[in-house]
């Protein structure tokens, strides 16, 4: 496993991070299995684990906290998110008031069974939900040692470009993959500010392959349904990248993961799974050598952003 320094921090992240998502935290994945996945990733050298306070109504943090309790805390980097809560009927509500963020951090610390959070991301805020009072509260949380670094999780290019210069934000988490290659300009701008960037959805949900149309598990059906509902245009546009899944003797996952990490300003690429074999497959993907011309061709294809 390779590691990269996260700009603007003293953190060193494994180039692959493990996403502890809502799906991973649901009852359909037994808790013992969920925690064993984290242990397997950890044993393979993955030291970065990302989750969110609202995932599975807090159960993702609880499960991650049980794993953290079984290892040396300083050996892992943990990030979580604040600003989103699960309301009745599974609907999400947003609250980025200073009071709500402070309360969310306190709840996350308890569920994660830790004295500090390495990185706190504001969870997909809109620009009008951000305020100077919020920024001051984040600074206080850092000064109190409850969080070490703060950032924004957003795949909205306008939001990221607008807030990247705000002092209290050191790290940014955004969708970056071969279907969003032109986001690299923003990544490079973030690096020029000596701030860190982490890639979400580096596998692009395999939208650029035929794989998504042949589901073999409940999770696959869930991803297909979500793609058809929320990412239909992206799914259609991704057909232009089908060549990236048809290289001889190179799996599509290897092209996708290596493309995301081809930009050296990307400190880590986060993936999620409920199967041990996928952890091994993604780690093995990093051993493949992808011709640079493949990456250049991906960059020349300008797919429209999904905002």
């Amino acid at each position: 496993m390779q590691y990269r320094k996260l700009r603007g921090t003293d953190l060193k992240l494994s180039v692959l991070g493990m996403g502890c998502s809502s799906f991973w935290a649901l009852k359909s994945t037994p808790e013992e299995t969920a925690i064993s996945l984290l242990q397997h990733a950890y044993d393979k050298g993955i030291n970065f684990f990302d989750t969110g306070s609202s995932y599975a109504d807090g159960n993702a943090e609880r499960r991650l906290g049980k794993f953290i309790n079984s290892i040396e805390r300083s050996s892992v980097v943990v990030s979580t998110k604040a600003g989103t809560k699960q309301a009745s009927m599974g609907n999400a509500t947003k609250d980025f008031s200073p009071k709500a963020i402070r309360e969310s951090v306190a709840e996350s610390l308890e569920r994660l069974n830790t004295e500090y959070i390495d990185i706190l991301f504001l969870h997909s805020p809109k620009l009008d939900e951000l305020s100077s009072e919020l920024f001051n509260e984040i600074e206080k949380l850092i000064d109190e040692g409850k969080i070490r670094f703060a950032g924004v999780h957003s795949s909205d290019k306008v939001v990221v470009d607008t807030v990247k210069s705000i002092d209290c934000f050191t790290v940014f988490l955004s969708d970056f993959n071969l279907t969003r290659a032109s986001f690299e300009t923003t990544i490079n701008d973030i690096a020029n500010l000596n701030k860190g960037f982490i890639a979400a959805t580096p596998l692009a949900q395999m939208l650029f392959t035929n794989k998504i149309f042949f589901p073999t598990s409940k999770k696959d059906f869930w991803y297909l349904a979500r793609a058809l509902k929320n990412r239909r245009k992206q799914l259609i546009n991704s057909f232009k990248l089908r060549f990236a899944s048809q290289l001889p003797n190179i799996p599509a996952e290897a092209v996708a993961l290596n493309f995301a990490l081809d930009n050296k300003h990307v400190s880590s690429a986060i993936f999620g799974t409920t199967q041990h074999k996928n952890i091994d497959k993604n780690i093995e993907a990093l051993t493949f050598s992808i011709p640079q011309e493949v990456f250049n061709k991906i960059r020349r294809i300008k797919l429209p952003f999904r905002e």
Side-chain angles (χ1 to χ4, degrees):
M1 180 60 61
Q2 298 178 1
Y3 301 85
R4 292 182 182 177
K5 186 177 183 298
L6 184 63
R7 281 178 179 267
T9 78
D10 59 356
L11 302 175
K12 210 166 189 180
L13 309 184
S14 50
V15 293
L16 290 182
M18 184 78 173
C20 304
S21 66
S22 293
F23 197 91
W24 165 85
L26 295 177
K27 291 181 180 179
S28 56
T29 301
E31 185 169 288
E32 183 178 350
T33 300
I35 294 175
S36 73
L37 285 162
L38 303 188
Q39 184 65 55
H40 186 66
Y42 180 75
D43 291 342
K44 294 289 185 176
I46 292 177
N47 75 341
F48 176 43
F49 299 88
D50 173 74
T51 190
S53 61
S54 65
Y55 294 173
D57 198 23
N59 200 45
E61 286 187 333
R62 292 186 192 94
R63 287 185 171 186
L64 178 55
K66 290 182 180 180
F67 168 68
I68 290 173
N69 193 46
S70 69
I71 59 171
E72 177 62 42
R73 173 63 180 89
S74 61
S75 68
V76 293
V77 176
V78 174
S79 65
T80 191
K81 306 174 187 75
T84 302
K85 284 195 173 184
Q86 292 300 120
S88 60
M89 304 298 291
N91 295 321
T93 62
K94 296 285 189 177
D95 189 346
F96 293 96
S97 66
K99 180 176 181 291
I101 297 305
R102 177 170 286 276
E103 289 175 352
S104 181
V105 168
E107 292 167 358
S108 291
L109 288 170
E110 182 177 355
R111 287 191 292 255
L112 287 166
N113 194 33
T114 183
E115 295 181 352
Y116 63 92
I117 295 165
D118 294 291
I119 308 169
L120 178 74
F121 292 110
L122 297 183
H123 196 185
S124 303
K126 296 179 181 178
L127 290 176
D128 61 7
E129 293 174 318
L130 303 177
S131 66
S132 58
E133 292 79 12
L134 172 59
F135 305 152
N136 291 336
E137 192 67 25
I138 290 172
E139 294 284 9
K140 289 178 185 177
L141 289 167
I142 293 173
D143 291 342
E144 294 166 9
K146 290 181 171 63
I147 62 176
R148 298 195 61 205
F149 303 98
V152 172
H153 166 237
S154 177
S155 294
D156 186 326
K157 192 174 186 299
V158 174
V159 170
V160 178
D161 284 338
T162 302
V163 305
K164 64 179 182 288
S165 298
I166 295 174
D167 289 341
C168 67
F169 298 138
T170 310
V171 188
F172 295 87
L173 171 64
S174 303
D175 288 356
F176 176 61
N177 51 58
L178 69 180
T179 73
R180 287 174 57 90
S182 54
F183 199 77
E184 280 191 303
T185 56
T186 294
I187 295 173
N188 295 337
D189 289 343
I190 290 169
N192 289 334
L193 293 168
N194 195 35
K195 296 187 177 186
F197 183 83
I198 297 166
T201 64
L203 293 167
Q205 295 185 322
M206 305 306 285
L207 296 181
F208 65 101
T209 74
N210 283 326
K211 182 178 179 181
I212 193 170
F213 295 109
F214 297 94
T216 59
S217 66
K218 289 182 179 179
K219 183 192 70 171
D220 291 342
F221 279 104
W222 183 73
Y223 278 128
L224 175 58
R226 190 168 70 166
L228 291 173
K229 178 182 177 182
N230 301 325
R231 303 193 175 191
R232 190 169 301 178
K233 288 184 178 179
Q234 188 182 11
L235 184 60
I236 295 171
N237 289 328
S238 296
F239 289 163
K240 299 175 184 177
L241 293 164
R242 191 58 53 84
F243 73 90
S245 68
Q246 299 170 340
L247 301 180
N249 303 316
I250 299 178
E253 293 89 349
V255 179
L257 288 172
N258 281 284
F259 173 79
L261 293 167
D262 187 56
N263 187 312
K264 300 307 178 185
H265 301 320
V266 176
S267 294
S268 187
I270 299 171
F271 71 93
T273 185
T274 56
Q275 298 184 51
H276 292 76
K277 66 179 182 180
N278 288 338
I279 296 173
D280 296 335
K281 183 188 298 184
N282 289 339
I283 292 174
E284 183 184 10
L286 299 183
T287 65
F288 286 84
S289 179
I290 314 299
Q292 190 62 41
E293 176 52 32
V294 173
F295 294 157
N296 294 341
K297 185 175 180 180
I298 291 170
R299 290 184 172 101
R300 288 194 297 267
I301 298 174
K302 304 294 185 182
L303 296 185
F305 279 117
R306 177 188 65 85
E307 300 297 2

